[in-house]
Amino acid sequence: MIDTDRITGATRELGGKIQGAVGDLTGSHRDSAEGRFREAQGAAENAYGQAKDGVRHASDRAQDYAGQAADRVRDYADRATGRAEEFADQARDVADDARGYAEDAYERGSRSLRQGARQVGHQVAEYPVASLVIAGLVGFGLGLLVNANRD
């Protein structure tokens, strides 16, 4: 949109030129000087309007650039948030898997321990004397190991 100062300035400048030319033709120094003055005023007003248009245009462009930059920042932030959420979901999945593996290992270990304890119990019940001899030998061996570390 063109500033009204440009329109009125151009009109005043044209009117001043006409008045100055008429003053020159008629020999009226007053009309000639007044026309030149109006022409200068019109040129100044026109230049002022052009400057306002330039500032308005620059302001509009700066506003557009700022809006585009804000949109880009929003897009980058949305993408980063999306990626962070994806990574968090993946971390949760990995943690869930690890918890499942740990629970499975605990269950298998508990089962193996119970089976081993039952089998040892059966062996002791079936062969009590042999079990006593084996336990004594294991105790004796441990005693030797403990005493060997003291020297």
Side-chain angles (χ1 to χ4, degrees):
M1 184 174 106
I2 294 178
D3 192 77
T4 56
D5 289 326
R6 287 180 72 177
I7 296 169
T8 58
T11 305
R12 186 173 288 155
E13 186 177 0
L14 181 62
K17 281 183 183 182
I18 293 172
Q19 185 179 4
V22 168
D24 288 343
L25 287 176
T26 60
S28 169
H29 294 294
R30 182 172 182 258
D31 282 339
S32 180
E34 202 173 290
R36 302 280 181 258
F37 180 71
R38 281 182 59 195
E39 183 181 348
Q41 279 181 324
E45 190 173 1
N46 189 358
Y48 175 68
Q50 287 176 4
K52 281 174 43 179
D53 280 344
V55 168
R56 186 178 304 112
H57 179 68
S59 172
D60 290 344
R61 287 187 69 186
Q63 217 170 12
D64 290 344
Y65 290 145
Q68 290 172 3
D71 290 343
R72 285 183 183 161
V73 167
R74 251 189 306 278
D75 289 344
Y76 291 141
D78 289 345
R79 281 190 225 146
T81 301
R83 285 186 176 169
E85 289 171 353
E86 287 175 24
F87 290 146
D89 289 343
Q90 290 173 356
R92 274 189 226 98
D93 291 344
V94 167
D96 289 343
D97 290 346
R99 183 180 27 215
Y101 292 140
E103 288 172 354
D104 289 345
Y106 180 78
E107 293 284 329
R108 277 187 252 128
S110 295
R111 250 181 283 136
S112 295
L113 181 64
R114 283 190 299 271
Q115 284 176 348
R118 263 181 277 168
Q119 286 179 355
V120 168
H122 288 298
Q123 290 295 325
V124 168
E126 200 170 315
Y127 304 103
V129 175
S131 298
L132 225 95
V133 171
I134 290 173
L137 289 174
V138 168
F140 182 73
L142 286 173
L144 287 176
L145 284 173
V146 170
N147 282 333
N149 285 337
R150 287 188 182 175
D151 293 334

